[in-house]
mmCIF file with all atom_site columns, all heavy atoms in Angstrom:
data_model
loop_
_atom_site.group_PDB
_atom_site.id
_atom_site.type_symbol
_atom_site.label_atom_id
_atom_site.label_alt_id
_atom_site.label_comp_id
_atom_site.label_asym_id
_atom_site.label_entity_id
_atom_site.label_seq_id
_atom_site.pdbx_PDB_ins_code
_atom_site.Cartn_x
_atom_site.Cartn_y
_atom_site.Cartn_z
_atom_site.occupancy
_atom_site.B_iso_or_equiv
_atom_site.pdbx_formal_charge
_atom_site.auth_seq_id
_atom_site.auth_comp_id
_atom_site.auth_asym_id
_atom_site.auth_atom_id
_atom_site.pdbx_PDB_model_num
ATOM 1   N N   . ILE A 1 1  ? 86.565  95.284  118.479 1.00 0.00 ? 1  ILE A N   1
ATOM 2   C CA  . ILE A 1 1  ? 88.028  95.247  118.556 1.00 0.00 ? 1  ILE A CA  1
ATOM 3   C C   . ILE A 1 1  ? 88.557  94.873  117.181 1.00 0.00 ? 1  ILE A C   1
ATOM 4   O O   . ILE A 1 1  ? 88.256  93.806  116.651 1.00 0.00 ? 1  ILE A O   1
ATOM 5   C CB  . ILE A 1 1  ? 88.531  94.247  119.614 1.00 0.00 ? 1  ILE A CB  1
ATOM 6   C CG1 . ILE A 1 1  ? 88.001  94.624  121.008 1.00 0.00 ? 1  ILE A CG1 1
ATOM 7   C CG2 . ILE A 1 1  ? 90.064  94.235  119.629 1.00 0.00 ? 1  ILE A CG2 1
ATOM 8   C CD1 . ILE A 1 1  ? 88.463  93.677  122.109 1.00 0.00 ? 1  ILE A CD1 1
ATOM 9   N N   . ASN A 1 2  ? 89.335  95.752  116.609 1.00 0.00 ? 2  ASN A N   1
ATOM 10  C CA  . ASN A 1 2  ? 89.892  95.607  115.275 1.00 0.00 ? 2  ASN A CA  1
ATOM 11  C C   . ASN A 1 2  ? 91.263  94.940  115.382 1.00 0.00 ? 2  ASN A C   1
ATOM 12  O O   . ASN A 1 2  ? 92.143  95.443  116.079 1.00 0.00 ? 2  ASN A O   1
ATOM 13  C CB  . ASN A 1 2  ? 90.006  97.010  114.664 1.00 0.00 ? 2  ASN A CB  1
ATOM 14  C CG  . ASN A 1 2  ? 90.444  97.015  113.218 1.00 0.00 ? 2  ASN A CG  1
ATOM 15  O OD1 . ASN A 1 2  ? 90.354  96.014  112.523 1.00 0.00 ? 2  ASN A OD1 1
ATOM 16  N ND2 . ASN A 1 2  ? 90.911  98.169  112.767 1.00 0.00 ? 2  ASN A ND2 1
ATOM 17  N N   . LEU A 1 3  ? 91.450  93.802  114.695 1.00 0.00 ? 3  LEU A N   1
ATOM 18  C CA  . LEU A 1 3  ? 92.721  93.067  114.758 1.00 0.00 ? 3  LEU A CA  1
ATOM 19  C C   . LEU A 1 3  ? 93.357  92.975  113.372 1.00 0.00 ? 3  LEU A C   1
ATOM 20  O O   . LEU A 1 3  ? 93.364  91.916  112.739 1.00 0.00 ? 3  LEU A O   1
ATOM 21  C CB  . LEU A 1 3  ? 92.508  91.641  115.300 1.00 0.00 ? 3  LEU A CB  1
ATOM 22  C CG  . LEU A 1 3  ? 91.957  91.449  116.696 1.00 0.00 ? 3  LEU A CG  1
ATOM 23  C CD1 . LEU A 1 3  ? 92.061  89.981  117.099 1.00 0.00 ? 3  LEU A CD1 1
ATOM 24  C CD2 . LEU A 1 3  ? 92.691  92.308  117.695 1.00 0.00 ? 3  LEU A CD2 1
ATOM 25  N N   . PRO A 1 4  ? 93.909  94.066  112.867 1.00 0.00 ? 4  PRO A N   1
ATOM 26  C CA  . PRO A 1 4  ? 94.511  94.037  111.531 1.00 0.00 ? 4  PRO A CA  1
ATOM 27  C C   . PRO A 1 4  ? 95.895  93.411  111.522 1.00 0.00 ? 4  PRO A C   1
ATOM 28  O O   . PRO A 1 4  ? 96.521  93.195  112.563 1.00 0.00 ? 4  PRO A O   1
ATOM 29  C CB  . PRO A 1 4  ? 94.602  95.524  111.172 1.00 0.00 ? 4  PRO A CB  1
ATOM 30  C CG  . PRO A 1 4  ? 94.806  96.199  112.493 1.00 0.00 ? 4  PRO A CG  1
ATOM 31  C CD  . PRO A 1 4  ? 93.977  95.408  113.475 1.00 0.00 ? 4  PRO A CD  1
ATOM 32  N N   . LYS A 1 5  ? 96.352  93.125  110.317 1.00 0.00 ? 5  LYS A N   1
ATOM 33  C CA  . LYS A 1 5  ? 97.699  92.639  110.039 1.00 0.00 ? 5  LYS A CA  1
ATOM 34  C C   . LYS A 1 5  ? 98.445  93.748  109.297 1.00 0.00 ? 5  LYS A C   1
ATOM 35  O O   . LYS A 1 5  ? 97.871  94.399  108.425 1.00 0.00 ? 5  LYS A O   1
ATOM 36  C CB  . LYS A 1 5  ? 97.615  91.396  109.155 1.00 0.00 ? 5  LYS A CB  1
ATOM 37  C CG  . LYS A 1 5  ? 98.939  90.697  108.877 1.00 0.00 ? 5  LYS A CG  1
ATOM 38  C CD  . LYS A 1 5  ? 99.190  89.638  109.904 1.00 0.00 ? 5  LYS A CD  1
ATOM 39  C CE  . LYS A 1 5  ? 100.301 88.685  109.494 1.00 0.00 ? 5  LYS A CE  1
ATOM 40  N NZ  . LYS A 1 5  ? 100.604 87.725  110.562 1.00 0.00 ? 5  LYS A NZ  1
ATOM 41  N N   . VAL A 1 6  ? 99.711  93.966  109.600 1.00 0.00 ? 6  VAL A N   1
ATOM 42  C CA  . VAL A 1 6  ? 100.509 94.971  108.894 1.00 0.00 ? 6  VAL A CA  1
ATOM 43  C C   . VAL A 1 6  ? 100.894 94.428  107.519 1.00 0.00 ? 6  VAL A C   1
ATOM 44  O O   . VAL A 1 6  ? 101.646 93.453  107.420 1.00 0.00 ? 6  VAL A O   1
ATOM 45  C CB  . VAL A 1 6  ? 101.787 95.325  109.684 1.00 0.00 ? 6  VAL A CB  1
ATOM 46  C CG1 . VAL A 1 6  ? 102.597 96.369  108.922 1.00 0.00 ? 6  VAL A CG1 1
ATOM 47  C CG2 . VAL A 1 6  ? 101.445 95.843  111.072 1.00 0.00 ? 6  VAL A CG2 1
ATOM 48  N N   . LYS A 1 7  ? 100.365 95.061  106.446 1.00 0.00 ? 7  LYS A N   1
ATOM 49  C CA  . LYS A 1 7  ? 100.649 94.580  105.092 1.00 0.00 ? 7  LYS A CA  1
ATOM 50  C C   . LYS A 1 7  ? 100.658 95.746  104.110 1.00 0.00 ? 7  LYS A C   1
ATOM 51  O O   . LYS A 1 7  ? 100.015 96.774  104.316 1.00 0.00 ? 7  LYS A O   1
ATOM 52  C CB  . LYS A 1 7  ? 99.592  93.564  104.640 1.00 0.00 ? 7  LYS A CB  1
ATOM 53  C CG  . LYS A 1 7  ? 99.522  92.295  105.461 1.00 0.00 ? 7  LYS A CG  1
ATOM 54  C CD  . LYS A 1 7  ? 98.621  91.252  104.803 1.00 0.00 ? 7  LYS A CD  1
ATOM 55  C CE  . LYS A 1 7  ? 97.171  91.663  104.822 1.00 0.00 ? 7  LYS A CE  1
ATOM 56  N NZ  . LYS A 1 7  ? 96.295  90.635  104.199 1.00 0.00 ? 7  LYS A NZ  1
ATOM 57  N N   . THR A 1 8  ? 101.370 95.556  103.020 1.00 0.00 ? 8  THR A N   1
ATOM 58  C CA  . THR A 1 8  ? 101.254 96.457  101.886 1.00 0.00 ? 8  THR A CA  1
ATOM 59  C C   . THR A 1 8  ? 100.011 96.099  101.085 1.00 0.00 ? 8  THR A C   1
ATOM 60  O O   . THR A 1 8  ? 99.406  95.049  101.291 1.00 0.00 ? 8  THR A O   1
ATOM 61  C CB  . THR A 1 8  ? 102.494 96.355  100.985 1.00 0.00 ? 8  THR A CB  1
ATOM 62  O OG1 . THR A 1 8  ? 102.701 94.978  100.648 1.00 0.00 ? 8  THR A OG1 1
ATOM 63  C CG2 . THR A 1 8  ? 103.726 96.897  101.697 1.00 0.00 ? 8  THR A CG2 1
ATOM 64  N N   . HIS A 1 9  ? 99.654  96.988  100.135 1.00 0.00 ? 9  HIS A N   1
ATOM 65  C CA  . HIS A 1 9  ? 98.443  96.763  99.352  1.00 0.00 ? 9  HIS A CA  1
ATOM 66  C C   . HIS A 1 9  ? 98.632  97.379  97.970  1.00 0.00 ? 9  HIS A C   1
ATOM 67  O O   . HIS A 1 9  ? 99.060  98.529  97.855  1.00 0.00 ? 9  HIS A O   1
ATOM 68  C CB  . HIS A 1 9  ? 97.241  97.391  100.061 1.00 0.00 ? 9  HIS A CB  1
ATOM 69  C CG  . HIS A 1 9  ? 95.916  96.934  99.544  1.00 0.00 ? 9  HIS A CG  1
ATOM 70  N ND1 . HIS A 1 9  ? 95.370  97.413  98.380  1.00 0.00 ? 9  HIS A ND1 1
ATOM 71  C CD2 . HIS A 1 9  ? 95.018  96.035  100.042 1.00 0.00 ? 9  HIS A CD2 1
ATOM 72  C CE1 . HIS A 1 9  ? 94.185  96.834  98.174  1.00 0.00 ? 9  HIS A CE1 1
ATOM 73  N NE2 . HIS A 1 9  ? 93.952  95.998  99.159  1.00 0.00 ? 9  HIS A NE2 1
ATOM 74  N N   . GLY A 1 10 ? 98.307  96.612  96.934  1.00 0.00 ? 10 GLY A N   1
ATOM 75  C CA  . GLY A 1 10 ? 98.530  97.062  95.575  1.00 0.00 ? 10 GLY A CA  1
ATOM 76  C C   . GLY A 1 10 ? 97.763  98.320  95.209  1.00 0.00 ? 10 GLY A C   1
ATOM 77  O O   . GLY A 1 10 ? 98.251  99.147  94.433  1.00 0.00 ? 10 GLY A O   1
ATOM 78  N N   . LEU A 1 11 ? 96.555  98.498  95.748  1.00 0.00 ? 11 LEU A N   1
ATOM 79  C CA  . LEU A 1 11 ? 95.731  99.647  95.380  1.00 0.00 ? 11 LEU A CA  1
ATOM 80  C C   . LEU A 1 11 ? 95.842  100.781 96.398  1.00 0.00 ? 11 LEU A C   1
ATOM 81  O O   . LEU A 1 11 ? 96.014  101.941 96.024  1.00 0.00 ? 11 LEU A O   1
ATOM 82  C CB  . LEU A 1 11 ? 94.269  99.210  95.242  1.00 0.00 ? 11 LEU A CB  1
ATOM 83  C CG  . LEU A 1 11 ? 93.296  100.277 94.724  1.00 0.00 ? 11 LEU A CG  1
ATOM 84  C CD1 . LEU A 1 11 ? 93.670  100.701 93.301  1.00 0.00 ? 11 LEU A CD1 1
ATOM 85  C CD2 . LEU A 1 11 ? 91.863  99.760  94.746  1.00 0.00 ? 11 LEU A CD2 1
ATOM 86  N N   . THR A 1 12 ? 95.740  100.469 97.688  1.00 0.00 ? 12 THR A N   1
ATOM 87  C CA  . THR A 1 12 ? 95.776  101.506 98.723  1.00 0.00 ? 12 THR A CA  1
ATOM 88  C C   . THR A 1 12 ? 97.177  101.690 99.322  1.00 0.00 ? 12 THR A C   1
ATOM 89  O O   . THR A 1 12 ? 97.345  102.489 100.239 1.00 0.00 ? 12 THR A O   1
ATOM 90  C CB  . THR A 1 12 ? 94.776  101.188 99.852  1.00 0.00 ? 12 THR A CB  1
ATOM 91  O OG1 . THR A 1 12 ? 95.131  99.948  100.480 1.00 0.00 ? 12 THR A OG1 1
ATOM 92  C CG2 . THR A 1 12 ? 93.358  101.079 99.314  1.00 0.00 ? 12 THR A CG2 1
ATOM 93  N N   . ILE A 1 13 ? 98.157  100.960 98.825  1.00 0.00 ? 13 ILE A N   1
ATOM 94  C CA  . ILE A 1 13 ? 99.565  101.008 99.237  1.00 0.00 ? 13 ILE A CA  1
ATOM 95  C C   . ILE A 1 13 ? 99.792  100.334 100.591 1.00 0.00 ? 13 ILE A C   1
ATOM 96  O O   . ILE A 1 13 ? 100.737 99.569  100.769 1.00 0.00 ? 13 ILE A O   1
ATOM 97  C CB  . ILE A 1 13 ? 100.130 102.438 99.280  1.00 0.00 ? 13 ILE A CB  1
ATOM 98  C CG1 . ILE A 1 13 ? 99.857  103.168 97.952  1.00 0.00 ? 13 ILE A CG1 1
ATOM 99  C CG2 . ILE A 1 13 ? 101.645 102.402 99.518  1.00 0.00 ? 13 ILE A CG2 1
ATOM 100 C CD1 . ILE A 1 13 ? 100.269 104.632 97.981  1.00 0.00 ? 13 ILE A CD1 1
ATOM 101 N N   . PHE A 1 14 ? 98.895  100.599 101.538 1.00 0.00 ? 14 PHE A N   1
ATOM 102 C CA  . PHE A 1 14 ? 99.060  100.094 102.907 1.00 0.00 ? 14 PHE A CA  1
ATOM 103 C C   . PHE A 1 14 ? 97.715  99.637  103.433 1.00 0.00 ? 14 PHE A C   1
ATOM 104 O O   . PHE A 1 14 ? 96.680  100.255 103.163 1.00 0.00 ? 14 PHE A O   1
ATOM 105 C CB  . PHE A 1 14 ? 99.616  101.217 103.796 1.00 0.00 ? 14 PHE A CB  1
ATOM 106 C CG  . PHE A 1 14 ? 99.883  100.824 105.220 1.00 0.00 ? 14 PHE A CG  1
ATOM 107 C CD1 . PHE A 1 14 ? 100.855 99.894  105.535 1.00 0.00 ? 14 PHE A CD1 1
ATOM 108 C CD2 . PHE A 1 14 ? 99.174  101.417 106.269 1.00 0.00 ? 14 PHE A CD2 1
ATOM 109 C CE1 . PHE A 1 14 ? 101.123 99.550  106.858 1.00 0.00 ? 14 PHE A CE1 1
ATOM 110 C CE2 . PHE A 1 14 ? 99.434  101.079 107.587 1.00 0.00 ? 14 PHE A CE2 1
ATOM 111 C CZ  . PHE A 1 14 ? 100.406 100.138 107.885 1.00 0.00 ? 14 PHE A CZ  1
ATOM 112 N N   . THR A 1 15 ? 97.713  98.527  104.176 1.00 0.00 ? 15 THR A N   1
ATOM 113 C CA  . THR A 1 15 ? 96.492  98.085  104.832 1.00 0.00 ? 15 THR A CA  1
ATOM 114 C C   . THR A 1 15 ? 96.796  97.716  106.269 1.00 0.00 ? 15 THR A C   1
ATOM 115 O O   . THR A 1 15 ? 97.689  96.927  106.550 1.00 0.00 ? 15 THR A O   1
ATOM 116 C CB  . THR A 1 15 ? 95.834  96.894  104.092 1.00 0.00 ? 15 THR A CB  1
ATOM 117 O OG1 . THR A 1 15 ? 94.756  96.378  104.890 1.00 0.00 ? 15 THR A OG1 1
ATOM 118 C CG2 . THR A 1 15 ? 96.820  95.771  103.808 1.00 0.00 ? 15 THR A CG2 1
ATOM 119 N N   . CYS A 1 16 ? 96.062  98.351  107.169 1.00 0.00 ? 16 CYS A N   1
ATOM 120 C CA  . CYS A 1 16 ? 96.177  98.022  108.592 1.00 0.00 ? 16 CYS A CA  1
ATOM 121 C C   . CYS A 1 16 ? 94.848  98.363  109.265 1.00 0.00 ? 16 CYS A C   1
ATOM 122 O O   . CYS A 1 16 ? 93.821  97.833  108.862 1.00 0.00 ? 16 CYS A O   1
ATOM 123 C CB  . CYS A 1 16 ? 97.371  98.736  109.236 1.00 0.00 ? 16 CYS A CB  1
ATOM 124 S SG  . CYS A 1 16 ? 97.818  98.059  110.860 1.00 0.00 ? 16 CYS A SG  1
ATOM 125 N N   . ALA A 1 17 ? 94.835  99.267  110.226 1.00 0.00 ? 17 ALA A N   1
ATOM 126 C CA  . ALA A 1 17 ? 93.631  99.472  111.035 1.00 0.00 ? 17 ALA A CA  1
ATOM 127 C C   . ALA A 1 17 ? 92.446  99.993  110.231 1.00 0.00 ? 17 ALA A C   1
ATOM 128 O O   . ALA A 1 17 ? 91.336  99.462  110.318 1.00 0.00 ? 17 ALA A O   1
ATOM 129 C CB  . ALA A 1 17 ? 93.944  100.417 112.194 1.00 0.00 ? 17 ALA A CB  1
ATOM 130 N N   . VAL A 1 18 ? 92.647  101.045 109.445 1.00 0.00 ? 18 VAL A N   1
ATOM 131 C CA  . VAL A 1 18 ? 91.526  101.638 108.707 1.00 0.00 ? 18 VAL A CA  1
ATOM 132 C C   . VAL A 1 18 ? 91.035  100.690 107.618 1.00 0.00 ? 18 VAL A C   1
ATOM 133 O O   . VAL A 1 18 ? 89.842  100.385 107.530 1.00 0.00 ? 18 VAL A O   1
ATOM 134 C CB  . VAL A 1 18 ? 91.926  103.004 108.113 1.00 0.00 ? 18 VAL A CB  1
ATOM 135 C CG1 . VAL A 1 18 ? 90.818  103.540 107.195 1.00 0.00 ? 18 VAL A CG1 1
ATOM 136 C CG2 . VAL A 1 18 ? 92.196  104.012 109.234 1.00 0.00 ? 18 VAL A CG2 1
ATOM 137 N N   . LYS A 1 19 ? 91.926  100.182 106.794 1.00 0.00 ? 19 LYS A N   1
ATOM 138 C CA  . LYS A 1 19 ? 91.525  99.314  105.682 1.00 0.00 ? 19 LYS A CA  1
ATOM 139 C C   . LYS A 1 19 ? 90.931  97.996  106.168 1.00 0.00 ? 19 LYS A C   1
ATOM 140 O O   . LYS A 1 19 ? 90.045  97.425  105.502 1.00 0.00 ? 19 LYS A O   1
ATOM 141 C CB  . LYS A 1 19 ? 92.749  99.038  104.787 1.00 0.00 ? 19 LYS A CB  1
ATOM 142 C CG  . LYS A 1 19 ? 92.514  98.060  103.642 1.00 0.00 ? 19 LYS A CG  1
ATOM 143 C CD  . LYS A 1 19 ? 91.498  98.573  102.644 1.00 0.00 ? 19 LYS A CD  1
ATOM 144 C CE  . LYS A 1 19 ? 91.443  97.696  101.390 1.00 0.00 ? 19 LYS A CE  1
ATOM 145 N NZ  . LYS A 1 19 ? 90.994  96.325  101.674 1.00 0.00 ? 19 LYS A NZ  1
ATOM 146 N N   . ASN A 1 20 ? 91.356  97.497  107.328 1.00 0.00 ? 20 ASN A N   1
ATOM 147 C CA  . ASN A 1 20 ? 90.846  96.213  107.813 1.00 0.00 ? 20 ASN A CA  1
ATOM 148 C C   . ASN A 1 20 ? 89.336  96.236  108.041 1.00 0.00 ? 20 ASN A C   1
ATOM 149 O O   . ASN A 1 20 ? 88.677  95.211  107.919 1.00 0.00 ? 20 ASN A O   1
ATOM 150 C CB  . ASN A 1 20 ? 91.549  95.802  109.107 1.00 0.00 ? 20 ASN A CB  1
ATOM 151 C CG  . ASN A 1 20 ? 91.293  94.352  109.469 1.00 0.00 ? 20 ASN A CG  1
ATOM 152 O OD1 . ASN A 1 20 ? 91.463  93.458  108.646 1.00 0.00 ? 20 ASN A OD1 1
ATOM 153 N ND2 . ASN A 1 20 ? 90.876  94.115  110.710 1.00 0.00 ? 20 ASN A ND2 1
ATOM 154 N N   . MET A 1 21 ? 88.785  97.406  108.343 1.00 0.00 ? 21 MET A N   1
ATOM 155 C CA  . MET A 1 21 ? 87.350  97.477  108.601 1.00 0.00 ? 21 MET A CA  1
ATOM 156 C C   . MET A 1 21 ? 86.515  97.370  107.322 1.00 0.00 ? 21 MET A C   1
ATOM 157 O O   . MET A 1 21 ? 85.296  97.253  107.385 1.00 0.00 ? 21 MET A O   1
ATOM 158 C CB  . MET A 1 21 ? 87.016  98.777  109.344 1.00 0.00 ? 21 MET A CB  1
ATOM 159 C CG  . MET A 1 21 ? 87.618  98.849  110.745 1.00 0.00 ? 21 MET A CG  1
ATOM 160 S SD  . MET A 1 21 ? 87.278  97.386  111.778 1.00 0.00 ? 21 MET A SD  1
ATOM 161 C CE  . MET A 1 21 ? 85.505  97.491  111.988 1.00 0.00 ? 21 MET A CE  1
ATOM 162 N N   . TYR A 1 22 ? 87.164  97.359  106.158 1.00 0.00 ? 22 TYR A N   1
ATOM 163 C CA  . TYR A 1 22 ? 86.439  97.130  104.907 1.00 0.00 ? 22 TYR A CA  1
ATOM 164 C C   . TYR A 1 22 ? 85.773  95.761  104.917 1.00 0.00 ? 22 TYR A C   1
ATOM 165 O O   . TYR A 1 22 ? 84.766  95.542  104.234 1.00 0.00 ? 22 TYR A O   1
ATOM 166 C CB  . TYR A 1 22 ? 87.417  97.246  103.738 1.00 0.00 ? 22 TYR A CB  1
ATOM 167 C CG  . TYR A 1 22 ? 86.767  97.331  102.375 1.00 0.00 ? 22 TYR A CG  1
ATOM 168 C CD1 . TYR A 1 22 ? 85.928  98.383  102.056 1.00 0.00 ? 22 TYR A CD1 1
ATOM 169 C CD2 . TYR A 1 22 ? 87.023  96.369  101.396 1.00 0.00 ? 22 TYR A CD2 1
ATOM 170 C CE1 . TYR A 1 22 ? 85.337  98.472  100.798 1.00 0.00 ? 22 TYR A CE1 1
ATOM 171 C CE2 . TYR A 1 22 ? 86.444  96.448  100.135 1.00 0.00 ? 22 TYR A CE2 1
ATOM 172 C CZ  . TYR A 1 22 ? 85.605  97.504  99.841  1.00 0.00 ? 22 TYR A CZ  1
ATOM 173 O OH  . TYR A 1 22 ? 85.018  97.584  98.605  1.00 0.00 ? 22 TYR A OH  1
ATOM 174 N N   . GLY A 1 23 ? 86.307  94.841  105.712 1.00 0.00 ? 23 GLY A N   1
ATOM 175 C CA  . GLY A 1 23 ? 85.752  93.501  105.803 1.00 0.00 ? 23 GLY A CA  1
ATOM 176 C C   . GLY A 1 23 ? 84.423  93.410  106.528 1.00 0.00 ? 23 GLY A C   1
ATOM 177 O O   . GLY A 1 23 ? 83.828  92.324  106.583 1.00 0.00 ? 23 GLY A O   1
ATOM 178 N N   . VAL A 1 24 ? 83.910  94.535  107.077 1.00 0.00 ? 24 VAL A N   1
ATOM 179 C CA  . VAL A 1 24 ? 82.582  94.498  107.710 1.00 0.00 ? 24 VAL A CA  1
ATOM 180 C C   . VAL A 1 24 ? 81.482  94.569  106.657 1.00 0.00 ? 24 VAL A C   1
ATOM 181 O O   . VAL A 1 24 ? 80.297  94.418  106.976 1.00 0.00 ? 24 VAL A O   1
ATOM 182 C CB  . VAL A 1 24 ? 82.402  95.623  108.753 1.00 0.00 ? 24 VAL A CB  1
ATOM 183 C CG1 . VAL A 1 24 ? 83.485  95.546  109.819 1.00 0.00 ? 24 VAL A CG1 1
ATOM 184 C CG2 . VAL A 1 24 ? 82.367  97.008  108.107 1.00 0.00 ? 24 VAL A CG2 1
ATOM 185 N N   . VAL A 1 25 ? 81.867  94.798  105.403 1.00 0.00 ? 25 VAL A N   1
ATOM 186 C CA  . VAL A 1 25 ? 80.905  94.755  104.296 1.00 0.00 ? 25 VAL A CA  1
ATOM 187 C C   . VAL A 1 25 ? 80.760  93.302  103.864 1.00 0.00 ? 25 VAL A C   1
ATOM 188 O O   . VAL A 1 25 ? 81.746  92.654  103.500 1.00 0.00 ? 25 VAL A O   1
ATOM 189 C CB  . VAL A 1 25 ? 81.392  95.611  103.113 1.00 0.00 ? 25 VAL A CB  1
ATOM 190 C CG1 . VAL A 1 25 ? 80.432  95.491  101.926 1.00 0.00 ? 25 VAL A CG1 1
ATOM 191 C CG2 . VAL A 1 25 ? 81.543  97.062  103.541 1.00 0.00 ? 25 VAL A CG2 1
ATOM 192 N N   . PRO A 1 26 ? 79.557  92.743  103.899 1.00 0.00 ? 26 PRO A N   1
ATOM 193 C CA  . PRO A 1 26 ? 79.404  91.317  103.594 1.00 0.00 ? 26 PRO A CA  1
ATOM 194 C C   . PRO A 1 26 ? 79.657  90.972  102.140 1.00 0.00 ? 26 PRO A C   1
ATOM 195 O O   . PRO A 1 26 ? 79.249  91.696  101.223 1.00 0.00 ? 26 PRO A O   1
ATOM 196 C CB  . PRO A 1 26 ? 77.934  91.034  103.953 1.00 0.00 ? 26 PRO A CB  1
ATOM 197 C CG  . PRO A 1 26 ? 77.516  92.165  104.819 1.00 0.00 ? 26 PRO A CG  1
ATOM 198 C CD  . PRO A 1 26 ? 78.304  93.347  104.360 1.00 0.00 ? 26 PRO A CD  1
ATOM 199 N N   . GLY A 1 27 ? 80.351  89.851  101.934 1.00 0.00 ? 27 GLY A N   1
ATOM 200 C CA  . GLY A 1 27 ? 80.447  89.185  100.646 1.00 0.00 ? 27 GLY A CA  1
ATOM 201 C C   . GLY A 1 27 ? 80.882  90.040  99.474  1.00 0.00 ? 27 GLY A C   1
ATOM 202 O O   . GLY A 1 27 ? 81.714  90.940  99.587  1.00 0.00 ? 27 GLY A O   1
ATOM 203 N N   . LEU A 1 28 ? 80.268  89.766  98.325  1.00 0.00 ? 28 LEU A N   1
ATOM 204 C CA  . LEU A 1 28 ? 80.674  90.390  97.074  1.00 0.00 ? 28 LEU A CA  1
ATOM 205 C C   . LEU A 1 28 ? 80.150  91.809  96.902  1.00 0.00 ? 28 LEU A C   1
ATOM 206 O O   . LEU A 1 28 ? 80.400  92.438  95.870  1.00 0.00 ? 28 LEU A O   1
ATOM 207 C CB  . LEU A 1 28 ? 80.228  89.519  95.899  1.00 0.00 ? 28 LEU A CB  1
ATOM 208 C CG  . LEU A 1 28 ? 80.988  88.191  95.771  1.00 0.00 ? 28 LEU A CG  1
ATOM 209 C CD1 . LEU A 1 28 ? 80.403  87.346  94.645  1.00 0.00 ? 28 LEU A CD1 1
ATOM 210 C CD2 . LEU A 1 28 ? 82.466  88.439  95.514  1.00 0.00 ? 28 LEU A CD2 1
ATOM 211 N N   . ILE A 1 29 ? 79.440  92.330  97.927  1.00 0.00 ? 29 ILE A N   1
ATOM 212 C CA  . ILE A 1 29 ? 79.077  93.756  97.880  1.00 0.00 ? 29 ILE A CA  1
ATOM 213 C C   . ILE A 1 29 ? 80.346  94.592  97.789  1.00 0.00 ? 29 ILE A C   1
ATOM 214 O O   . ILE A 1 29 ? 80.373  95.652  97.169  1.00 0.00 ? 29 ILE A O   1
ATOM 215 C CB  . ILE A 1 29 ? 78.254  94.143  99.125  1.00 0.00 ? 29 ILE A CB  1
ATOM 216 C CG1 . ILE A 1 29 ? 76.954  93.348  99.174  1.00 0.00 ? 29 ILE A CG1 1
ATOM 217 C CG2 . ILE A 1 29 ? 77.935  95.639  99.123  1.00 0.00 ? 29 ILE A CG2 1
ATOM 218 C CD1 . ILE A 1 29 ? 76.151  93.545  100.450 1.00 0.00 ? 29 ILE A CD1 1
ATOM 219 N N   . LYS A 1 30 ? 81.420  94.075  98.398  1.00 0.00 ? 30 LYS A N   1
ATOM 220 C CA  . LYS A 1 30 ? 82.693  94.803  98.362  1.00 0.00 ? 30 LYS A CA  1
ATOM 221 C C   . LYS A 1 30 ? 83.170  95.040  96.936  1.00 0.00 ? 30 LYS A C   1
ATOM 222 O O   . LYS A 1 30 ? 83.758  96.082  96.634  1.00 0.00 ? 30 LYS A O   1
ATOM 223 C CB  . LYS A 1 30 ? 83.750  94.026  99.147  1.00 0.00 ? 30 LYS A CB  1
ATOM 224 C CG  . LYS A 1 30 ? 83.527  94.004  100.649 1.00 0.00 ? 30 LYS A CG  1
ATOM 225 C CD  . LYS A 1 30 ? 84.695  93.393  101.390 1.00 0.00 ? 30 LYS A CD  1
ATOM 226 C CE  . LYS A 1 30 ? 84.748  91.888  101.268 1.00 0.00 ? 30 LYS A CE  1
ATOM 227 N NZ  . LYS A 1 30 ? 83.596  91.220  101.921 1.00 0.00 ? 30 LYS A NZ  1
ATOM 228 N N   . THR A 1 31 ? 82.933  94.072  96.053  1.00 0.00 ? 31 THR A N   1
ATOM 229 C CA  . THR A 1 31 ? 83.397  94.251  94.676  1.00 0.00 ? 31 THR A CA  1
ATOM 230 C C   . THR A 1 31 ? 82.603  95.338  93.955  1.00 0.00 ? 31 THR A C   1
ATOM 231 O O   . THR A 1 31 ? 83.132  95.986  93.045  1.00 0.00 ? 31 THR A O   1
ATOM 232 C CB  . THR A 1 31 ? 83.299  92.932  93.887  1.00 0.00 ? 31 THR A CB  1
ATOM 233 O OG1 . THR A 1 31 ? 81.940  92.513  93.789  1.00 0.00 ? 31 THR A OG1 1
ATOM 234 C CG2 . THR A 1 31 ? 84.109  91.835  94.562  1.00 0.00 ? 31 THR A CG2 1
ATOM 235 N N   . GLU A 1 32 ? 81.351  95.545  94.355  1.00 0.00 ? 32 GLU A N   1
ATOM 236 C CA  . GLU A 1 32 ? 80.567  96.621  93.755  1.00 0.00 ? 32 GLU A CA  1
ATOM 237 C C   . GLU A 1 32 ? 81.166  97.981  94.107  1.00 0.00 ? 32 GLU A C   1
ATOM 238 O O   . GLU A 1 32 ? 81.156  98.907  93.286  1.00 0.00 ? 32 GLU A O   1
ATOM 239 C CB  . GLU A 1 32 ? 79.113  96.542  94.236  1.00 0.00 ? 32 GLU A CB  1
ATOM 240 C CG  . GLU A 1 32 ? 78.333  95.394  93.636  1.00 0.00 ? 32 GLU A CG  1
ATOM 241 C CD  . GLU A 1 32 ? 78.257  95.487  92.125  1.00 0.00 ? 32 GLU A CD  1
ATOM 242 O OE1 . GLU A 1 32 ? 77.891  96.569  91.603  1.00 0.00 ? 32 GLU A OE1 1
ATOM 243 O OE2 . GLU A 1 32 ? 78.596  94.494  91.452  1.00 0.00 ? 32 GLU A OE2 1
#
């Protein structure tokens, strides 16, 4: 169950359901 927050985003412009799942990548692997 995906529980995003409605927000703007500097790089992707918008973050909600799709962008929220980026957090399933552990830790600083995301920065890579």
Side-chain angles (χ1 to χ4, degrees):
I1 300 180
N2 186 19
L3 299 190
K5 185 91 166 175
V6 180
K7 297 190 291 181
T8 53
H9 195 282
L11 186 63
T12 62
I13 308 174
F14 182 65
T15 171
C16 195
V18 173
K19 176 63 171 64
N20 193 51
M21 295 309 294
Y22 193 62
V24 303
V25 176
L28 290 175
I29 298 173
K30 290 188 285 294
T31 63
E32 287 300 310

